[in-house]
Amino acid sequence: MSVPKRWIGLALSIVASIVLYYHPVSWFSMSKRVVVLGGGVVGLQTAVDLLEAGYAVNVISKHLPGDIDLNYPSQQAAATWASDEPVVDAETKRWYEEGYNQWEVMSQGDEFESAGVAKRPCFRYWENPPENLVKGGSSALWHSEGVSSFRILTSEELPSGVGFGTTFTTFCVNAPAYLEYFQSRILALGGTIKRATLPVDKGLEEGLKAARLLIADELAGSKNQSIYAYVNAMGMNAMRLADDKTLFPIRSQSIHIKGEAHKIADRIDANGIYYAIPRVGEGVTVLGGFMEAGNWNATVNPEINRKILKGCKQLIPECLDENGEFTILKEYVGLRPHRKAGPRVEIEQLKDKAEFGESIVVHNYGHGPGGFFKSVGASRKVVRLLNSFASGTLSEADAETSSSSSKEQEVFEGFYRQGGDSKKEDV
């Protein structure tokens, strides 16, 4: 029995519609190649979003999932969704929401099981809360309406020495599993990943030239040998590559202990913030805190670790052994790239370059300690910017330079301290 051609055509049309619904591809992205510089969580998330939008993608990075390095904080991160900002603009709020919503999906779907995203209750305590927080309660916390099960803790629920507290449902992420998931996704979608060190001291133009030469062999065997755009997701290296003097590190120490805490918890005292975040499925909880702005010191400070361990005993007593101590597995120092005016996600055109012609760069860096969840919304903006640029519909608002803002990004009082070691390390 033969099937009428119109039925075949209708069936193919329905299948195509379903595919495009879940993986929308812009006409303007078809066959265009983008080179992503940087293999941390921001670079990997951006690469996946670009591939799903129909771009061909090559990733180049000095560090990749599995690496342990001061300047690759993604690997040892205690990744969670929580706000360190008392006030956010509309775009940042949208990034928080997009990150929360994506992790909601990833925490439930079987297809995302290997990504290591789990839903858990979060408890946040202030020993000496700001006056506006005590008076305003949930109205003083912009994220109180955007998360599940948010409420102010009663005085009976507060631990000794705590003046104010909140609880809500959020997510914790097994960082190594999450990075591996995105790396595998890139390869499954046809992208390539190359481990290489790019020169950053000679400026953006030379860095892009080196990137092109690094993948010259790959391009030679491809139908599409031209590079449409680059994405600068270089983290702290963007300070030199893009000559961004507003970028600085937020240094933190973390301690990995045996056992998974039942919850996410943090506490802000006179010394700063310390926290406990479980890595579900790994049998590990990450303790950390005492984040310092502008400190480049790569050495673990034993005194800070002592304070972290002491403070976290009150947060997650379920992880203590019979002697009332934690079983320490590993200790780390990480530098997270932060910008005074907030993350930089914008297009830059480098014109009249004799060797390669015009180059388009989309910057995507400076997300600070919130890189894991902010990368979701920021990467989607990268795709929108490139699609709009290609179609000639890039608006002035979309192209606006975030670094032009004169207002510094606010963080909750006590979250970060000014670092004592401003010596710039090699990144």
Side-chain angles (χ1 to χ4, degrees):
M1 176 181 172
S2 61
V3 179
K5 290 183 178 180
R6 67 177 182 276
W7 288 12
I8 296 174
L10 178 60
L12 291 173
S13 176
I14 292 172
V15 170
S17 298
I18 293 172
V19 170
L20 287 173
Y21 178 82
Y22 287 104
H23 299 284
V25 177
S26 166
W27 171 261
F28 302 103
S29 69
M30 297 296 287
S31 75
K32 293 185 183 297
R33 182 174 301 280
V34 179
V35 178
V36 177
L37 311 179
V41 66
V42 175
L44 297 177
Q45 175 76 64
T46 303
V48 168
D49 284 354
L50 287 167
L51 285 161
E52 290 182 342
Y55 290 91
V57 175
N58 303 83
V59 177
I60 301 175
S61 183
K62 177 180 180 180
H63 299 296
L64 293 170
D67 289 2
I68 301 296
D69 190 273
L70 172 75
N71 298 295
Y72 190 64
S74 294
Q75 184 69 27
Q76 65 264 26
T80 187
W81 189 104
S83 175
D84 61 356
E85 302 167 79
V87 180
V88 295
D89 58 30
E91 180 171 71
T92 304
K93 184 174 184 289
R94 184 166 64 248
W95 289 355
Y96 271 93
E97 292 169 348
E98 289 176 309
Y100 193 93
N101 292 337
Q102 174 162 306
W103 284 0
E104 176 74 55
V105 173
M106 295 181 75
S107 70
Q108 298 178 19
D110 291 341
E111 62 183 302
F112 301 112
E113 186 176 357
S114 64
V117 181
K119 185 183 292 187
R120 290 292 183 275
C122 176
F123 292 83
R124 172 162 286 180
Y125 306 111
W126 280 264
E127 289 192 4
N128 297 293
E131 185 178 352
N132 69 309
L133 198 57
V134 177
K135 289 183 177 180
S138 59
S139 64
L141 297 167
W142 68 266
H143 61 282
S144 62
E145 296 181 356
V147 296
S148 175
S149 309
F150 181 94
R151 66 182 179 85
I152 305 297
L153 296 173
T154 65
S155 57
E156 290 78 16
E157 295 176 290
L158 297 177
S160 175
V162 171
F164 185 84
T166 64
T167 183
F168 55 93
T169 300
T170 187
F171 306 91
C172 53
V173 173
N174 184 328
Y178 195 78
L179 298 175
E180 287 286 350
Y181 170 83
F182 278 96
Q183 179 174 251
S184 298
R185 184 82 180 127
I186 290 167
L187 298 176
L189 290 168
T192 70
I193 300 174
K194 187 178 186 67
R195 183 189 292 274
T197 302
L198 290 168
V200 294
D201 289 329
K202 296 181 180 179
L204 192 54
E205 292 87 352
E206 288 299 314
L208 301 187
K209 178 180 177 181
R212 181 178 180 87
L213 293 175
L214 281 168
I215 60 171
D217 291 343
E218 295 177 35
L219 295 181
S222 171
K223 292 181 180 179
N224 178 13
Q225 298 183 19
S226 63
I227 296 175
Y228 172 61
Y230 300 83
V231 175
N232 171 19
M234 293 281 282
M236 282 309 309
N237 268 317
M239 181 177 62
R240 291 185 287 178
L241 181 70
D243 192 27
D244 190 340
K245 295 180 175 60
T246 71
L247 192 66
F248 61 91
I250 290 182
R251 179 189 184 277
S252 65
Q253 293 187 188
S254 62
I255 307 166
H256 293 198
I257 63 164
K258 183 179 179 180
E260 287 182 15
H262 302 156
K263 59 186 176 296
I264 300 162
D266 59 47
R267 183 163 172 162
I268 301 96
D269 65 13
N271 293 306
I273 184 173
Y274 47 90
Y275 55 78
I277 302 171
R279 278 189 175 176
V280 176
E282 194 174 311
V284 169
T285 296
V286 181
L287 314 181
F290 296 92
M291 294 184 279
E292 297 177 302
N295 189 341
W296 292 84
N297 195 319
T299 305
V300 172
N301 183 326
E303 179 60 21
I304 287 180
N305 273 4
R306 187 189 67 78
K307 291 179 180 179
I308 291 173
L309 292 168
K310 180 181 178 181
C312 286
K313 285 181 180 181
Q314 303 173 57
L315 293 178
I316 52 166
E318 65 267 26
C319 290
L320 297 173
D321 63 20
E322 61 274 12
N323 298 315
E325 302 294 336
F326 292 119
T327 300
I328 298 173
L329 303 176
K330 296 177 182 177
E331 300 176 336
Y332 298 102
V333 174
L335 301 179
R336 291 160 175 78
H338 195 76
R339 293 180 79 247
K340 291 180 179 179
R344 184 185 185 190
V345 185
E346 64 180 2
I347 277 188
E348 180 178 0
Q349 292 176 257
L350 305 177
K351 299 180 178 180
D352 303 322
K353 300 300 171 186
E355 191 167 359
F356 298 121
E358 181 181 79
S359 294
I360 302 166
V361 183
V362 184
H363 299 283
N364 188 8
Y365 65 85
H367 298 280
F372 268 77
F373 64 83
K374 287 182 181 177
S375 68
V376 177
S379 299
R380 291 174 183 176
K381 181 178 180 180
V382 170
V383 175
R384 290 197 303 271
L385 287 172
L386 287 175
N387 287 347
S388 298
F389 187 86
S391 65
T393 60
L394 185 69
S395 69
E396 190 172 323
D398 283 335
E400 184 177 314
T401 303
S402 62
S403 58
S404 65
S405 173
S406 59
K407 184 178 179 181
E408 288 195 17
Q409 184 180 16
E410 291 185 58
V411 296
F412 284 114
E413 182 181 344
F415 267 50
Y416 306 145
R417 305 183 300 170
Q418 189 59 41
D421 190 342
S422 61
K423 181 183 177 182
K424 192 181 298 182
E425 300 285 344
D426 241 354
V427 295

